[in-house]
Amino acid sequence: MTAERLQKLIAAAGIASRRAAERMIAEGRVTVDGEVVNVPGVRADPALQDIRVDGARLRKLGRPRRYVILNKPIGHLTTRSDPGRRSTVMDLLPHSFRSLVPVGRLDGNSSGLVLLTDDGELAQRVTHPRYRLPKTYYATVRGLPAEDVLERAQRGVRVDGEGLRLDHVEVIARFPHRAESKRRARLRVTLRGGRNREIRRVLSVLGHPVLELHRTRIGCLADTGLTPGGWRKLRGDELDELRDLIRRCAGETAAPAEPADPEPAAPSARPAAFVVAIDGPAGSGKTSVARAVAERFGFSYFNTGASVRAVALAAMRQDLDLDDGASLRTLAFRVILDPEGRVFLDGEDVSAAVRAPEVSAGASRVAVHPELREVLVERWRQFAAGGGVVEGRDIGTVVFPEAPVKVFLDARPEIRAQRRSSDEGDRDVGAVQSELNRRDHTDSGRAVAPLRRAEDAHHLDTSDLTLEETVERVAELVEAARSRALD
Ligand code: DC
């Protein structure tokens, strides 16, 4: 074994995350060959040196543990080997990963994220209900579940003598149809435990059999960028993040193990949502930055501007008057934001359609109506109730004034125009700039929700920064706010 940085060795021994190990070092709790090392970056070789944390020797490190995430396609079993010789997730990995074990179960008919490792301790923490690590699933179900059905799923049901419940379930899109048998809904489900086929069994007993089930997240790990059947090794920072999250989740008050019988559940005292609010004028880089920050931390991402745009699109499709606030208000109920930054109108994914220049102009007009804003603000709060990166106007001032991270992105007008023009397929920069100027003027000058920076927001001029540099700055603010929240 060659010399490695101390924080890396401490993290690899499972004592603490790298960040926590850095703090331990700074606090003088780490010694190498009897000498306290309290400066960062020192390397040591555990095979040759005596490394101790709080006086206890770092256990001898064997082969480093390995961690892989994989996007399981339907039809593969989540097991190391199948006596019936059916395909398993192991068939998707190179032979050298044969010693890894899939963590938890994802049934053959479901698809999505699977973690594989030879670290039994971490595997136990990811799956055991005591650690309460959330996993996120998207389910397509038969029928259109009513509100009380979702409540029952969360309160708990008894199936074959077993108490089962979903920690959180919400409808993100409804697909109505004249024929009852063809109605469908798309649900987002969070599970913190996970008994065998729990989502399928709960929803089926409540009359909404699951037709498709896909897992997108295990804690902060996401399937983003993995094609079906694709896999990759986890990075060290992702692993640190996961360990931190497990520690924090285990610290939250656990829900009762057995579900209560069908009485109204008392509202649970949920910790305040961790919201990262990002605002700024058009072309300041909000969307790219918000998306990248969400991806980096495994947070949900909500693009509120897209919902304003979707209202404009709906109004334009129906030839409604864009200045009639009262009729626009009802359109807001047909728009859904999902936590991956997409926007749906009546169940149709309109994320691309709302970017058209004429929709941008319409959005700027509809955004000023107080009747519409009132509904939108309430919906944004509901969509992002579980926290995440929320991009848009008024987020830091009105929607989530308590957000622990608020960023106001800005850039010089000519830079913003250039960025917009390349977003829109290299449209004439001059034309884009005059449109931006017009929108800036309407957006800043309007009486309702004018474009302005929250007093406690960090002002970040991105004119001379690359996207990576901007994301890095915002990530630092997120890290700092998270450390404050954990203290
Ligand atoms: O950020 P964007 O360009 O997608 O926003 C579209 C329009 O909606 C723009 O005129 C600003 C407005 N908007 C708003 O009023 N409130 C929000 N929370 C988000 C956007």
Side-chain angles (χ1 to χ4, degrees), residues 126-427:
V126 167
T127 47
H128 198 288
R130 179 155 72 86
Y131 292 95
R132 303 186 41 70
L133 185 71
K135 289 123 204 153
T136 309
Y137 300 78
Y138 284 82
T140 305
V141 296
R142 182 163 296 154
L144 301 170
E147 217 30 64
D148 65 317
V149 167
L150 302 183
E151 271 167 31
R152 281 190 64 197
Q154 292 172 108
R155 222 157 46 219
V157 291
R158 230 159 233 296
V159 186
D160 305 329
E162 206 178 352
L164 304 178
R165 67 188 280 274
L166 309 181
D167 287 275
H168 185 72
V169 53
E170 67 195 307
V171 176
I172 57 161
R174 290 176 186 277
F175 305 97
H177 195 280
R178 258 173 301 126
E180 200 177 331
S181 64
K182 295 210 171 139
R183 291 177 197 155
R184 303 279 182 268
R186 199 150 162 72
L187 311 182
R188 179 183 184 223
V189 179
T190 308
L191 275 191
R192 287 180 182 257
R195 312 248 174 114
N196 192 16
R197 300 169 70 83
E198 191 161 17
I199 299 177
R200 289 182 186 274
R201 289 160 76 202
V202 169
L203 292 170
S204 172
V205 84
L206 293 172
H208 296 281
V210 173
L211 305 172
E212 282 171 356
L213 187 62
H214 181 85
R215 177 157 71 194
T216 56
R217 256 185 209 167
I218 301 175
C220 48
L221 308 176
D223 67 351
T224 329
L226 286 178
T227 50
W231 62 275
R232 68 174 176 83
K233 289 193 214 165
L234 276 193
R235 297 188 312 268
D237 60 312
E238 290 175 310
L239 201 53
D240 281 349
E241 182 86 20
L242 181 63
R243 290 201 169 107
D244 271 350
L245 184 63
I246 292 171
R247 236 170 263 127
R248 270 184 286 134
C249 291
E252 285 172 19
T253 341
E258 285 300 306
D261 273 325
E263 271 131 48
S268 59
R270 273 213 240 136
F274 189 89
V275 167
V276 179
I278 299 197
D279 194 7
S284 57
K286 285 183 309 234
T287 301
S288 323
V289 172
R291 213 178 256 290
V293 170
E295 195 149 300
R296 168 125 162 204
F297 290 95
F299 289 167
S300 300
Y301 161 54
F302 302 94
N303 181 343
T304 62
S307 58
V308 179
R309 289 162 176 270
V311 169
L313 177 68
M316 287 156 79
R317 282 181 177 175
Q318 281 179 244
D319 242 348
L320 292 181
D321 178 359
L322 298 188
D323 299 317
D324 174 6
S327 45
L328 294 172
R329 175 187 166 93
T330 60
L331 300 180
F333 295 101
R334 293 165 39 192
V335 174
I336 286 180
L337 290 180
D338 87 350
E340 315 288 332
R342 285 176 296 222
V343 60
F344 293 83
L345 173 62
D346 300 328
E348 174 195 345
D349 185 346
V350 289
S351 312
V354 300
R355 309 300 312 168
E358 62 278 14
V359 182
S360 303
S364 196
R365 266 171 76 188
V366 304
V368 301
H369 298 294
E371 306 94 318
L372 171 65
R373 283 200 90 76
E374 188 187 53
V375 181
L376 284 175
V377 166
E378 204 35 57
R379 286 177 75 71
W380 295 334
R381 286 190 186 131
Q382 283 168 6
F383 292 137
V389 180
V390 188
E391 170 202 337
R393 185 71 35 84
D394 260 10
I395 302 301
T397 45
V398 174
V399 188
F400 290 107
E402 309 291 328
V405 184
K406 298 182 189 177
V407 184
F408 189 89
L409 292 181
D410 207 350
R412 292 190 294 276
E414 66 278 15
I415 303 268
R416 296 197 278 117
Q418 266 162 21
R419 290 180 184 160
R420 261 294 139 100
S421 133
S422 62
D423 279 355
E424 293 175 4
D426 288 327
R427 220 153 56 82

Side-chain angles (χ1 to χ4, degrees), residues 4-5 70 117 125 234 259 269 366 388 391 411 421 429:
E4 289 279 11
R5 284 172 193 272
L70 177 146
T117 179
R125 291 183 180 185
L234 276 193
V366 304
E391 170 202 337
S421 133
V429 182

